[in-house]
Amino acid sequence: MFRRSLAMLTLAAVAFTTGGVSATSAYADTKYRGEGDQVLRIRATKKPGIIRFTHDGESNFIVYTVNPRGKKDDLLVNEIGPYDGAVLYNAYSSKGTIGLAIKADGAWTATFKPVSGARCWCSATLRGTGDQVLKLTPTRGLRTMRATHDGDSNFIVYGYPRIGFYPDLLINEIGSYKGKVLLPTGTRLVTVKADGSWTLVRR
């Protein structure tokens, strides 16, 4: 009943008394746990990274980055109900991140990882569910990506030839999808936003 007022954050492996976490430790699988609405503080950083979120509630789960001016900035997650996914933050033209503003009705976790901790798209075919960040050997020449999605909401795929710069929008559809698109030369990171299961095949 009083979950939100009693929500507490714990930092896996290392305990901090300052209420913050350095950018260095945030790239070493630093894990926060909480319940309900919270604001996390981290040391300001402009370095791109990955956050894996989980949520076991039934209502809105919304996460924004907070920039050094104390304002909400990038919308990282906006889902209803349970959630388990990975997203990129400080992806491009970022003012930097000093915290996260979290809206939730259940228990959640936020695990910070370096970009190098992205899931490897090592073979031609890759299957997954929900939001993911994928790394691959930079593409060369004419390469394509065939994709399918069986969800009901947004299916958005970006390709990043260089981290920290604007990406290429590869797919932006709602609901089920099946198609083939160009995978631009130099693509080394791909982000997937999805509410269902998906398959990516590169050639």
Side-chain angles (χ1 to χ4, degrees):
M1 179 176 184
F2 297 104
R3 291 183 305 175
R4 295 189 180 184
S5 61
L6 297 177
M8 298 178 64
L9 300 177
T10 58
L11 186 61
V14 182
F16 288 81
T17 58
T18 61
V21 56
S22 70
T24 300
S25 62
Y27 293 121
D29 288 343
T30 304
K31 188 173 186 177
Y32 290 94
R33 299 178 186 273
E35 191 169 349
D37 298 351
Q38 277 292 345
V39 177
L40 298 182
R41 293 175 180 269
I42 64 172
R43 184 172 296 173
T45 177
K46 292 185 177 181
K47 187 173 182 178
I50 296 170
I51 310 174
R52 181 191 171 192
F53 292 103
T54 66
H55 176 240
D56 68 3
E58 298 177 353
S59 189
N60 291 322
F61 181 56
I62 303 172
V63 183
Y64 283 93
T65 59
V66 179
N67 66 34
R69 295 183 178 180
K71 296 183 178 181
K72 291 180 181 178
D73 202 344
D74 293 330
L75 176 61
L76 300 181
V77 182
N78 185 10
E79 298 293 339
I80 295 175
Y83 178 85
D84 186 346
V87 297
L88 193 64
Y89 72 102
N90 286 347
Y92 53 87
S93 299
S94 175
K95 300 181 180 66
T97 298
I98 199 170
L100 300 176
I102 299 172
K103 179 177 179 59
D105 75 326
W108 50 263
T109 65
T111 305
F112 287 78
K113 295 176 177 290
V115 172
S116 61
R119 181 182 176 186
C120 183
W121 190 356
C122 298
S123 58
T125 301
L126 186 69
R127 294 179 173 84
T129 301
D131 298 349
Q132 288 284 340
V133 183
L134 313 172
K135 62 182 178 182
L136 63 155
T137 301
T139 56
R140 300 176 64 182
L142 177 57
R143 293 291 180 267
T144 62
M145 179 183 73
R146 181 164 51 85
T148 63
H149 175 240
D150 66 4
D152 297 317
S153 190
N154 292 319
F155 180 54
I156 303 173
V157 182
Y158 283 103
Y160 288 80
R162 297 182 66 185
I163 311 303
F165 291 80
Y166 286 103
D168 295 303
L169 178 59
L170 307 181
I171 300 171
N172 185 10
E173 299 291 339
I174 295 176
S176 60
Y177 175 84
K178 183 177 182 180
K180 180 186 288 187
V181 298
L182 185 69
L183 196 58
T185 296
T187 299
R188 65 187 63 213
L189 198 74
V190 169
T191 61
V192 179
K193 179 175 179 58
D195 73 327
S197 297
W198 46 263
T199 301
L200 303 181
V201 182
R202 54 190 171 97
R203 294 280 188 250

